[in-house]
Each structure stands twice: as structure tokens, then as C-alpha cells.
Amino acid sequence: MGCFFSRRRKPAQGGQQQEQAAAGTGQDAAVSEEKPPQYSWDQRAKVDPKDYTFSGLKDETVGRLPGRVAGQQFVIQDCENCNIYIFDHSATITIDDCVNCQIFLGPIKGSVFFRDCKDCKCIVACQQFRTRDCRKLEVFLCCATQPIIESSTGMKFGCFQYYYPELALQFKDAGLSIFNNTWSNIHDFTPVSGENNWGLLPENAVVQDYVPLPSSEELKAVRISTDATRSIIPITRGRRQKSSDESCLVVFFAGDYTTANARKLIDEMTGKGFQLVQTKEVSMKAEDAHRVFQQCASEFIPLLEKGPVVALEFNGDGAVEGCRNTINDVFSGTKVFVSESKASASQDVDNFYNFADMQMGM
């Protein structure tokens, strides 16, 4: 690389020197009046790490209201006997060395990582979930990818169930789908032969018995419901044993009312005693349609260009007939894929979820 140097001018003589000096003074004044250039990064609000950290707390109730975290990273560390609530979406959260804490974490765009924690009860929604060196964590979880535990024991998991008015938008801001929840598909990175480091919470577990509603006046402003029927996340059985050999696959295609239609069908079918096993939202291509929808593929391929599909698996004796009757009664005129028969339903379910898991790298 080269460098550029400028030679110093010789002083001007006589009047010429004075005129140049005067001109120079005027130019300097003009330059001094010019405002420095403004850049977008100069105008950003300064982030104080203390606003996004809970550290060294004991016997306290603390939290952040909706809009107070707004996608920033958050750190929780060295807390004991605390109730902690993050009612907002965040980028990532780490929880280190916490003991006997009750924790609610709103939607996390990236990962949540628990390290060296014990005897904690949590409600968590995230893209990635991981623990290391933890003992006795009970977690109501929504996780878009396979949850991972490492060197951890006494772990218990249930399906995320929670509601407050801002939560749906927070899921959207965090890039999470309410239909992608692998809460029970745990991968133990360090299994021990003959031992089981994790299990599932009781089916009738009540969220509020594990993580109570906040008691502080500030946090009471959040209009919370722990009623499972109002949960932003559909309550699924996951990997619990199915009650019947009969399942049915229903697929809604992208449109203005896809989410509302899926939620409506869930309400209708569970109200009739059928169980929601799993849900998924994923994009499909034409070749995927041939694998999943088989002889019906040509009917649905044009609909795939509109966006991701939402798939639901219902289980119970008579699930196929129940789904088809409900679709005809409630969703007439809406294009929906429903398993044709009990004989084909199990294969439909396997075809779709095997494809979906491959798409999502699971």
C-alpha cells in the first residue's frame, strides 16, 4: 500500500499573504459550522446490560413487562428462591447456577441454555433448548427443534400452556410457529446405561402449581391465563402412549384463516373426545406432495405456492370419520386434505411427519 503526503506551502508575500490568511479564516469558520455526518448506528438507543440481567438475587419476584426486552439477549444467573418472569420475546437467554427458582420465559428467537441449575420449575418457548449439568428441572416446553439435555438428571417435561394478549405477536416477532413444538422428543446427549435421565410430567399437571402467577404489583398488569383451553400453543400428547390404533392426518393450506381454521378444528375434535397428538407447520414442494398426498397430489400442488401448510394428527377410535364429518360440517368450501380411510391414515401420518422432520433437520 502507498501513502500520500502533501508538501507544506511556502508563506505568501505581503498583501497576498494577508488575503490568503483572511480567506483561510473564513473557510475554517464555515467548516466549524458544518454538522458532523450522522449514521444510523449513532442514533440507536444505548443498551445497558444491567437492563437485561438478573444476577445474585434471593427470595425475590422480578420480571420484564411486554415491550421491555424487545428481542435483546438476556442473562439470569446466581439466583435462589426467586420467581422470574420475562413477558417478552428475546434473542437468546442463558440461565446459570440458579436454585429453586420458578421461571417464565417468553418466546426466544434462538437458544435457551440452562447450566448448573437445580430444583427449578420453568415455562419456556424457544427455537433451541439445551441443559448441561442440571438436576431436577420441570419444564413446560415449546421448542421448534429437538430439545437436548447433557449431563443432566431428574428432568421432567410437559407441553407449554400459557396465554396473555401480547404473546401471539411475540411468537411472530421471535420467528416461532405455534404449531412447531417437539416438547417431548428429548435427546439425551449423555445417556447412562440402565438409567433414564428424563421423563414426562403428569398429563393432568397444572402450570400454575409449578410456576405461580406473579405477585408483584407491576407484573400483575399482564393479563395471564393458565387455562389449557386458552393456551397460545395447542396442547399435544407428543410421545405419550396413544389411546387408540387409529389416527387421522388433516392438512390446512396457506390462506387468510389457516391458523384460525386449525384452532377451530382442534377445539371441535378435542371437544368430541379425540386427542391431538402432534402439529406441524412446514413448507412443501410438488415432489413432497406426491410423497405425502399420493394419488391426491395434483389437487393440492397449486395450493403449496401460497405458503406453509399446517398439519394436525388426531387419535382415537373413529378419528378418521370424526375428522371428515367435522370438515364437511364446519369447513365446507375450504380445501383440506383428510385421510381417506382408517387403513391409509397411519401411513398418511408417517409420510407427512417423516417428511416434515427431514425438512426441519430432525
Side-chain angles (χ1 to χ4, degrees), residues 25-45:
T25 302
Q27 291 172 356
D28 290 342
V31 170
S32 65
E33 292 175 359
E34 291 181 2
K35 294 182 179 180
Q38 295 290 315
Y39 301 101
S40 59
W41 51 84
D42 292 329
Q43 300 173 19
R44 292 177 184 168

PDB file of all heavy atoms in Angstrom, residues 25-45:
ATOM      1  N   THR A  25      -9.300  31.920   7.251  1.00  0.00           N
ATOM      2  CA  THR A  25     -10.098  32.059   8.469  1.00  0.00           C
ATOM      3  C   THR A  25     -11.575  31.868   8.185  1.00  0.00           C
ATOM      4  O   THR A  25     -12.303  31.214   8.915  1.00  0.00           O
ATOM      5  CB  THR A  25      -9.851  33.452   9.087  1.00  0.00           C
ATOM      6  OG1 THR A  25      -8.464  33.598   9.351  1.00  0.00           O
ATOM      7  CG2 THR A  25     -10.643  33.602  10.371  1.00  0.00           C
ATOM      8  N   GLY A  26     -12.023  32.444   7.058  1.00  0.00           N
ATOM      9  CA  GLY A  26     -13.429  32.294   6.672  1.00  0.00           C
ATOM     10  C   GLY A  26     -13.793  30.855   6.392  1.00  0.00           C
ATOM     11  O   GLY A  26     -14.849  30.369   6.761  1.00  0.00           O
ATOM     12  N   GLN A  27     -12.893  30.131   5.715  1.00  0.00           N
ATOM     13  CA  GLN A  27     -13.153  28.729   5.411  1.00  0.00           C
ATOM     14  C   GLN A  27     -13.216  27.894   6.683  1.00  0.00           C
ATOM     15  O   GLN A  27     -14.065  27.026   6.846  1.00  0.00           O
ATOM     16  CB  GLN A  27     -12.065  28.187   4.484  1.00  0.00           C
ATOM     17  CG  GLN A  27     -12.122  28.790   3.084  1.00  0.00           C
ATOM     18  CD  GLN A  27     -10.909  28.394   2.238  1.00  0.00           C
ATOM     19  OE1 GLN A  27     -10.014  27.739   2.730  1.00  0.00           O
ATOM     20  NE2 GLN A  27     -10.905  28.828   0.992  1.00  0.00           N
ATOM     21  N   ASP A  28     -12.277  28.220   7.619  1.00  0.00           N
ATOM     22  CA  ASP A  28     -12.277  27.464   8.875  1.00  0.00           C
ATOM     23  C   ASP A  28     -13.582  27.673   9.626  1.00  0.00           C
ATOM     24  O   ASP A  28     -14.136  26.744  10.218  1.00  0.00           O
ATOM     25  CB  ASP A  28     -11.110  27.921   9.747  1.00  0.00           C
ATOM     26  CG  ASP A  28      -9.765  27.478   9.161  1.00  0.00           C
ATOM     27  OD1 ASP A  28      -9.787  26.576   8.315  1.00  0.00           O
ATOM     28  OD2 ASP A  28      -8.730  28.048   9.564  1.00  0.00           O
ATOM     29  N   ALA A  29     -14.094  28.906   9.609  1.00  0.00           N
ATOM     30  CA  ALA A  29     -15.350  29.206  10.299  1.00  0.00           C
ATOM     31  C   ALA A  29     -16.499  28.444   9.675  1.00  0.00           C
ATOM     32  O   ALA A  29     -17.369  27.911  10.356  1.00  0.00           O
ATOM     33  CB  ALA A  29     -15.622  30.703  10.270  1.00  0.00           C
ATOM     34  N   ALA A  30     -16.478  28.394   8.314  1.00  0.00           N
ATOM     35  CA  ALA A  30     -17.560  27.685   7.616  1.00  0.00           C
ATOM     36  C   ALA A  30     -17.534  26.200   7.953  1.00  0.00           C
ATOM     37  O   ALA A  30     -18.558  25.563   8.173  1.00  0.00           O
ATOM     38  CB  ALA A  30     -17.442  27.900   6.107  1.00  0.00           C
ATOM     39  N   VAL A  31     -16.291  25.646   7.970  1.00  0.00           N
ATOM     40  CA  VAL A  31     -16.166  24.220   8.277  1.00  0.00           C
ATOM     41  C   VAL A  31     -16.629  23.921   9.693  1.00  0.00           C
ATOM     42  O   VAL A  31     -17.304  22.946   9.961  1.00  0.00           O
ATOM     43  CB  VAL A  31     -14.703  23.775   8.070  1.00  0.00           C
ATOM     44  CG1 VAL A  31     -14.508  22.356   8.612  1.00  0.00           C
ATOM     45  CG2 VAL A  31     -14.332  23.830   6.603  1.00  0.00           C
ATOM     46  N   SER A  32     -16.277  24.843  10.631  1.00  0.00           N
ATOM     47  CA  SER A  32     -16.646  24.604  12.026  1.00  0.00           C
ATOM     48  C   SER A  32     -18.144  24.627  12.237  1.00  0.00           C
ATOM     49  O   SER A  32     -18.665  24.035  13.162  1.00  0.00           O
ATOM     50  CB  SER A  32     -15.977  25.652  12.924  1.00  0.00           C
ATOM     51  OG  SER A  32     -16.495  26.944  12.631  1.00  0.00           O
ATOM     52  N   GLU A  33     -18.879  25.334  11.335  1.00  0.00           N
ATOM     53  CA  GLU A  33     -20.328  25.404  11.472  1.00  0.00           C
ATOM     54  C   GLU A  33     -21.034  24.180  10.890  1.00  0.00           C
ATOM     55  O   GLU A  33     -22.191  23.947  11.143  1.00  0.00           O
ATOM     56  CB  GLU A  33     -20.848  26.678  10.788  1.00  0.00           C
ATOM     57  CG  GLU A  33     -20.414  27.959  11.502  1.00  0.00           C
ATOM     58  CD  GLU A  33     -20.856  29.197  10.732  1.00  0.00           C
ATOM     59  OE1 GLU A  33     -21.476  29.012   9.659  1.00  0.00           O
ATOM     60  OE2 GLU A  33     -20.591  30.305  11.194  1.00  0.00           O
ATOM     61  N   GLU A  34     -20.324  23.392  10.056  1.00  0.00           N
ATOM     62  CA  GLU A  34     -20.925  22.213   9.458  1.00  0.00           C
ATOM     63  C   GLU A  34     -21.132  21.126  10.522  1.00  0.00           C
ATOM     64  O   GLU A  34     -20.272  20.899  11.371  1.00  0.00           O
ATOM     65  CB  GLU A  34     -20.028  21.664   8.340  1.00  0.00           C
ATOM     66  CG  GLU A  34     -19.961  22.576   7.117  1.00  0.00           C
ATOM     67  CD  GLU A  34     -19.075  21.971   6.043  1.00  0.00           C
ATOM     68  OE1 GLU A  34     -18.575  20.845   6.259  1.00  0.00           O
ATOM     69  OE2 GLU A  34     -18.885  22.613   5.008  1.00  0.00           O
ATOM     70  N   LYS A  35     -22.270  20.450  10.468  1.00  0.00           N
ATOM     71  CA  LYS A  35     -22.567  19.377  11.414  1.00  0.00           C
ATOM     72  C   LYS A  35     -21.846  18.109  10.993  1.00  0.00           C
ATOM     73  O   LYS A  35     -21.749  17.822   9.803  1.00  0.00           O
ATOM     74  CB  LYS A  35     -24.075  19.120  11.481  1.00  0.00           C
ATOM     75  CG  LYS A  35     -24.863  20.278  12.064  1.00  0.00           C
ATOM     76  CD  LYS A  35     -26.337  19.923  12.132  1.00  0.00           C
ATOM     77  CE  LYS A  35     -27.131  21.074  12.744  1.00  0.00           C
ATOM     78  NZ  LYS A  35     -28.572  20.756  12.818  1.00  0.00           N
ATOM     79  N   PRO A  36     -21.364  17.336  11.944  1.00  0.00           N
ATOM     80  CA  PRO A  36     -20.720  16.061  11.585  1.00  0.00           C
ATOM     81  C   PRO A  36     -21.741  15.119  10.974  1.00  0.00           C
ATOM     82  O   PRO A  36     -22.938  15.212  11.251  1.00  0.00           O
ATOM     83  CB  PRO A  36     -20.222  15.530  12.933  1.00  0.00           C
ATOM     84  CG  PRO A  36     -21.084  16.194  13.948  1.00  0.00           C
ATOM     85  CD  PRO A  36     -21.407  17.552  13.383  1.00  0.00           C
ATOM     86  N   PRO A  37     -21.298  14.211  10.113  1.00  0.00           N
ATOM     87  CA  PRO A  37     -22.233  13.275   9.480  1.00  0.00           C
ATOM     88  C   PRO A  37     -22.918  12.397  10.511  1.00  0.00           C
ATOM     89  O   PRO A  37     -22.334  12.032  11.533  1.00  0.00           O
ATOM     90  CB  PRO A  37     -21.337  12.445   8.550  1.00  0.00           C
ATOM     91  CG  PRO A  37     -19.963  12.574   9.137  1.00  0.00           C
ATOM     92  CD  PRO A  37     -19.901  13.959   9.715  1.00  0.00           C
ATOM     93  N   GLN A  38     -24.193  12.067  10.255  1.00  0.00           N
ATOM     94  CA  GLN A  38     -24.975  11.225  11.148  1.00  0.00           C
ATOM     95  C   GLN A  38     -25.136   9.837  10.533  1.00  0.00           C
ATOM     96  O   GLN A  38     -25.444   9.712   9.349  1.00  0.00           O
ATOM     97  CB  GLN A  38     -26.360  11.838  11.390  1.00  0.00           C
ATOM     98  CG  GLN A  38     -26.324  13.170  12.135  1.00  0.00           C
ATOM     99  CD  GLN A  38     -25.915  12.981  13.587  1.00  0.00           C
ATOM    100  OE1 GLN A  38     -26.400  12.085  14.265  1.00  0.00           O
ATOM    101  NE2 GLN A  38     -25.012  13.833  14.063  1.00  0.00           N
ATOM    102  N   TYR A  39     -24.904   8.820  11.323  1.00  0.00           N
ATOM    103  CA  TYR A  39     -25.046   7.444  10.867  1.00  0.00           C
ATOM    104  C   TYR A  39     -26.128   6.750  11.689  1.00  0.00           C
ATOM    105  O   TYR A  39     -26.361   7.100  12.854  1.00  0.00           O
ATOM    106  CB  TYR A  39     -23.714   6.687  11.017  1.00  0.00           C
ATOM    107  CG  TYR A  39     -22.586   7.312  10.235  1.00  0.00           C
ATOM    108  CD1 TYR A  39     -21.639   8.110  10.876  1.00  0.00           C
ATOM    109  CD2 TYR A  39     -22.472   7.117   8.866  1.00  0.00           C
ATOM    110  CE1 TYR A  39     -20.603   8.701  10.168  1.00  0.00           C
ATOM    111  CE2 TYR A  39     -21.444   7.698   8.140  1.00  0.00           C
ATOM    112  CZ  TYR A  39     -20.510   8.485   8.788  1.00  0.00           C
ATOM    113  OH  TYR A  39     -19.502   9.057   8.080  1.00  0.00           O
ATOM    114  N   SER A  40     -26.761   5.720  11.073  1.00  0.00           N
ATOM    115  CA  SER A  40     -27.884   5.060  11.748  1.00  0.00           C
ATOM    116  C   SER A  40     -27.451   4.444  13.067  1.00  0.00           C
ATOM    117  O   SER A  40     -28.186   4.440  14.048  1.00  0.00           O
ATOM    118  CB  SER A  40     -28.489   3.983  10.835  1.00  0.00           C
ATOM    119  OG  SER A  40     -27.515   3.011  10.497  1.00  0.00           O
ATOM    120  N   TRP A  41     -26.203   3.920  13.097  1.00  0.00           N
ATOM    121  CA  TRP A  41     -25.769   3.268  14.332  1.00  0.00           C
ATOM    122  C   TRP A  41     -25.496   4.272  15.456  1.00  0.00           C
ATOM    123  O   TRP A  41     -25.491   3.916  16.623  1.00  0.00           O
ATOM    124  CB  TRP A  41     -24.529   2.402  14.084  1.00  0.00           C
ATOM    125  CG  TRP A  41     -23.404   3.105  13.373  1.00  0.00           C
ATOM    126  CD1 TRP A  41     -22.441   3.888  13.923  1.00  0.00           C
ATOM    127  CD2 TRP A  41     -23.146   3.066  11.966  1.00  0.00           C
ATOM    128  NE1 TRP A  41     -21.589   4.356  12.958  1.00  0.00           N
ATOM    129  CE2 TRP A  41     -21.991   3.856  11.737  1.00  0.00           C
ATOM    130  CE3 TRP A  41     -23.762   2.441  10.880  1.00  0.00           C
ATOM    131  CZ2 TRP A  41     -21.443   4.048  10.478  1.00  0.00           C
ATOM    132  CZ3 TRP A  41     -23.218   2.630   9.622  1.00  0.00           C
ATOM    133  CH2 TRP A  41     -22.075   3.428   9.409  1.00  0.00           C
ATOM    134  N   ASP A  42     -25.277   5.532  15.079  1.00  0.00           N
ATOM    135  CA  ASP A  42     -25.101   6.553  16.107  1.00  0.00           C
ATOM    136  C   ASP A  42     -26.418   6.903  16.779  1.00  0.00           C
ATOM    137  O   ASP A  42     -26.441   7.439  17.890  1.00  0.00           O
ATOM    138  CB  ASP A  42     -24.510   7.830  15.499  1.00  0.00           C
ATOM    139  CG  ASP A  42     -23.068   7.620  15.035  1.00  0.00           C
ATOM    140  OD1 ASP A  42     -22.375   6.799  15.670  1.00  0.00           O
ATOM    141  OD2 ASP A  42     -22.659   8.262  14.057  1.00  0.00           O
ATOM    142  N   GLN A  43     -27.522   6.639  16.076  1.00  0.00           N
ATOM    143  CA  GLN A  43     -28.820   7.045  16.584  1.00  0.00           C
ATOM    144  C   GLN A  43     -29.530   5.949  17.364  1.00  0.00           C
ATOM    145  O   GLN A  43     -30.608   6.148  17.899  1.00  0.00           O
ATOM    146  CB  GLN A  43     -29.702   7.498  15.413  1.00  0.00           C
ATOM    147  CG  GLN A  43     -29.103   8.677  14.657  1.00  0.00           C
ATOM    148  CD  GLN A  43     -29.901   9.010  13.401  1.00  0.00           C
ATOM    149  OE1 GLN A  43     -31.051   8.616  13.277  1.00  0.00           O
ATOM    150  NE2 GLN A  43     -29.288   9.718  12.483  1.00  0.00           N
ATOM    151  N   ARG A  44     -28.933   4.764  17.427  1.00  0.00           N
ATOM    152  CA  ARG A  44     -29.543   3.672  18.175  1.00  0.00           C
ATOM    153  C   ARG A  44     -29.487   3.954  19.673  1.00  0.00           C
ATOM    154  O   ARG A  44     -28.543   4.549  20.180  1.00  0.00           O
ATOM    155  CB  ARG A  44     -28.812   2.355  17.892  1.00  0.00           C
ATOM    156  CG  ARG A  44     -28.982   1.840  16.471  1.00  0.00           C
ATOM    157  CD  ARG A  44     -28.157   0.590  16.276  1.00  0.00           C
ATOM    158  NE  ARG A  44     -28.224   0.123  14.900  1.00  0.00           N
ATOM    159  CZ  ARG A  44     -27.415  -0.806  14.395  1.00  0.00           C
ATOM    160  NH1 ARG A  44     -26.497  -1.362  15.161  1.00  0.00           N
ATOM    161  NH2 ARG A  44     -27.517  -1.195  13.134  1.00  0.00           N
ATOM    162  N   ALA A  45     -30.520   3.483  20.354  1.00  0.00           N
ATOM    163  CA  ALA A  45     -30.531   3.641  21.810  1.00  0.00           C
ATOM    164  C   ALA A  45     -29.410   2.793  22.411  1.00  0.00           C
ATOM    165  O   ALA A  45     -29.175   1.663  21.996  1.00  0.00           O
ATOM    166  CB  ALA A  45     -31.877   3.214  22.369  1.00  0.00           C
TER     167      ALA A  45
END
